[in-house]
Amino acid sequence: MLRSMQNASVVLMGDGVYLCERLNDMGVDVMVYQPDAQTRGVDTSKYRTLNAASLVNLSDNHKTWVSW
């Protein structure tokens, strides 16, 4: 499954923010929801971060979302 995500962009939210380093190392384009990362003490300096407004913009620009 993760191998097929190498050309995908992934937004990590909630406890998913703990996966940012691992997915980035696998070549996945990682975006991290900043409030969740900050709450969990995850360093996001190497990743693109999203706030509430940028998450809304992203959802407006991308019609297909898969969440689990």
Side-chain angles (χ1 to χ4, degrees):
M1 168 76 161
L2 289 177
R3 288 182 186 195
S4 65
M5 294 172 50
Q6 288 182 342
N7 293 323
S9 295
V10 176
V11 177
L12 299 174
M13 300 175 76
D15 286 340
V17 299
Y18 293 120
L19 295 173
C20 59
E21 186 170 342
R22 186 171 191 180
L23 290 176
N24 189 60
D25 289 346
M26 295 176 74
V28 176
D29 180 27
V30 176
M31 291 174 268
V32 181
Y33 188 56
Q34 181 63 35
D36 290 345
Q38 185 175 11
T39 298
R40 289 161 178 81
V42 174
D43 177 18
T44 60
S45 61
K46 295 189 279 183
Y47 311 103
R48 290 190 295 166
T49 58
L50 301 170
N51 59 24
S54 58
L55 186 61
V56 169
N57 277 340
L58 188 66
S59 68
D60 284 344
N61 293 325
H62 297 278
K63 302 302 177 205
T64 305
W65 285 74
V66 177
S67 62
W68 66 89

